[in-house]
Amino acid sequence: MGGTMDGTKQRRRGNTRQRIQDVALELFAEQGYEKTSLREIAERLEVTKAALYYHFKTKEEIIVSLFEDLTKPIEDLIEWGKQQPHTLETKQEIVRRYGQALTDAAPLFRFMQENQATVRELSIGEMFKNRTLSLRDIIIDPDADLIDQVRCISALFTMHAGMFVLKDIEGDPEEKRKAVLEVAIDLVTQAHRGGRTP
């Protein structure tokens, strides 16, 4: 796959359900989740409210469906990770794939970051937390000491923070993404090696 891996461009999809998701996310980003109505989403799409209702009855349904669609690669990664040996290569591959999944779902995670109160009220906050905990359980060795457990958890939070904190730092987005990935992989590598020393 050549070209950029920008999630929004990659997701330019034709069907109505996906167009509703994309437009809703744009409006939520522009004016906030609370201030956006289903009527406004329908108007921006140039469809009737009834046509919108055919796919989604509420704004929450739109966000939950977006979350499920965009984080499916993370769910798949968790399933894959559970079946792999507990090697350093597996952990590094999980961190790499997780970084890509976060990049592809960046518009959704921006929404979650900017609407934390709303996200806490919706089911997606709990779902995301559970997925993060599942990933943590895969990359932490069962017998790891506390410092190595913290390193593994920090690797995941480095990935999350990298999406938001680094956007305010000068530089090429791809270079920043690579730097975040390198730090996260370093943390997991140190933790893995730490668990190996007597």
Side-chain angles (χ1 to χ4, degrees), residues 48-67:
T48 63
K49 202 169 167 192
L52 181 62
Y53 255 66
Y54 174 78
H55 295 278
F56 300 104
K57 306 282 183 276
T58 64
K59 293 187 294 183
E60 179 170 1
E61 277 184 25
I62 298 173
I63 280 295
V64 170
S65 71
L66 251 170
F67 180 84

Side-chain angles (χ1 to χ4, degrees), residues 104-165:
D104 291 346
L108 173 69
F109 290 113
R110 257 192 303 282
F111 164 82
M112 289 174 70
Q113 178 74 12
E114 290 159 9
N115 296 274
Q116 289 182 28
T118 301
V119 167
R120 270 194 293 278
E121 290 168 21
L122 304 177
S123 55
I124 59 173
E126 196 60 31
M127 288 160 71
F128 184 64
K129 181 179 156 196
N130 291 338
R131 289 191 185 158
T132 304
L133 293 175
S134 295
L135 279 173
R136 175 204 67 186
D137 292 344
I138 294 168
I139 62 171
I140 291 179
D141 287 318
D143 59 349
D145 65 26
L146 185 58
I147 288 180
D148 290 325
Q149 290 181 42
V150 171
R151 282 187 177 114
C152 289
I153 294 164
S154 298
L156 295 176
F157 286 120
T158 294
M159 309 289 289
H160 299 171
M163 288 197 316
F164 306 110
V165 180

Side-chain angles (χ1 to χ4, degrees), residues 43-102:
E43 283 172 5
R44 169 96 41 116
L45 279 161
E46 297 177 355
V47 299
T48 63
K49 202 169 167 192
L52 181 62
Y53 255 66
Y54 174 78
H55 295 278
F56 300 104
K57 306 282 183 276
T58 64
K59 293 187 294 183
E60 179 170 1
E61 277 184 25
I62 298 173
I63 280 295
V64 170
S65 71
L66 251 170
F67 180 84
E68 286 169 350
D69 290 358
L70 284 176
T71 62
K72 175 93 174 75
I74 297 173
E75 206 170 285
D76 295 345
L77 176 60
I78 291 166
E79 286 313 305
W80 177 84
K82 285 178 180 172
Q83 294 159 18
Q84 302 307 308
H86 233 66
T87 63
L88 178 57
E89 291 71 30
T90 297
K91 295 172 192 177
Q92 290 171 337
E93 184 61 21
I94 285 170
V95 170
R96 269 192 285 279
R97 289 190 192 183
Y98 188 52
Q100 189 58 61
L102 290 177

